[in-house]
C-alpha cells in the first residue's frame, strides 16, 4: 500500500515548478502502478501552451476557474470545480486560469518520472525506459 501526503512533498524532488504553475507529483513511475498522479496549481492569470506528445492526460478540477482551448479547432471549454477534461489525442491545448488559482488532479499515462518540466513546445520528453 502507498500512502502519500501532499504537504510532505513541498520542496522535494517531487515538487515541480515552471512559469505560472507548480505540481506535486503524488505518484510517479517508480511507484510502479502504471500511471502518475499530480496535484497541479495553475496561477491566476497564467496561460500555458501545452502539447503532451508522449502522454495521455486526464485533469479533474477541484478549485478555481479557467478554460482550455483545443488548438486544432479553436473550441474553448470552461473549467470549474467538477470539470474533467482529457487529452486523449495528444491534443495541443492552451490552459488558462481566469478566476483564482486553478487546482487540478492530473493523471498521466505513461507515468511521469516526477522531475519533468515543459519544453519550449509545451511538451514533456518521451518517457525513459528505466524505473526512474
Amino acid at each position: 500500500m502507498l500512502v502519500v501526503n501532499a504537504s510532505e512533498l513541498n520542496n522535494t524532488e517531487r515538487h515541480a515548478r515552471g512559469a505560472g504553475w507548480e505540481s506535486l507529483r503524488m505518484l510517479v513511475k517508480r511507484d510502479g502502478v502504471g500511471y502518475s498522479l499530480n496535484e497541479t496549481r495553475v496561477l491566476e492569470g497564467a496561460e500555458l501552451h501545452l502539447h503532451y506528445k508522449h502522454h495521455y492526460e486526464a485533469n479533474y478540477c477541484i478549485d478555481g476557474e479557467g478554460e482550455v482551448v483545443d488548438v486544432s479547432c479553436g473550441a474553448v471549454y470552461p473549467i470549474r470545480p467538477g470539470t474533467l477534461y482529457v487529452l486523449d489525442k495528444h491534443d495541443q491545448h492552451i490552459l488558462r486560469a481566469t478566476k483564482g488559482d486553478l487546482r487540478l488532479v492530473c493523471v498521466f499515462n505513461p507515468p511521469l518520472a516526477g522531475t519533468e518540466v515543459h519544453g519550449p513546445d509545451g511538451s514533456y520528453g518521451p518517457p525513459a525506459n528505466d524505473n526512474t
Side-chain angles (χ1 to χ4, degrees):
M1 178 181 296
L2 297 171
V3 178
V4 179
N5 186 296
S7 67
E8 296 170 359
L9 301 179
N10 286 315
N11 300 313
T12 71
E13 73 281 352
R14 289 192 183 204
H15 188 178
R17 298 175 182 92
W21 66 276
E22 66 177 326
S23 183
L24 297 174
R25 308 295 169 81
M26 306 286 292
L27 290 173
V28 295
K29 182 177 180 178
R30 73 175 170 257
D31 293 322
V33 296
Y35 59 89
S36 58
L37 185 136
N38 308 326
E39 180 183 320
T40 298
R41 183 169 63 124
V42 180
L43 303 178
E44 183 176 19
E47 179 175 291
L48 307 177
H49 294 249
L50 304 168
H51 189 189
Y52 298 122
K53 300 173 185 178
H54 309 286
H55 299 85
Y56 296 103
E57 183 189 25
N59 299 276
Y60 182 73
C61 179
I62 58 174
D63 197 23
E65 293 183 20
E67 58 189 20
V68 63
V69 179
D70 182 339
V71 171
S72 70
C73 65
V76 178
Y77 302 95
I79 300 172
R80 58 186 174 275
T83 301
L84 171 75
Y85 70 95
V86 179
L87 305 164
D88 61 338
K89 295 176 181 63
H90 303 290
D91 310 275
Q92 188 173 359
H93 60 290
I94 299 168
L95 180 60
R96 298 182 183 116
T98 58
K99 186 174 180 185
D101 292 349
L102 194 57
R103 290 187 53 224
L104 304 165
V105 175
C106 311
V107 177
F108 280 87
N109 188 15
L112 299 179
T115 56
E116 293 87 348
V117 293
H118 301 112
D121 63 354
S123 72
Y124 295 142
N129 289 328
D130 60 10
N131 288 326
T132 60

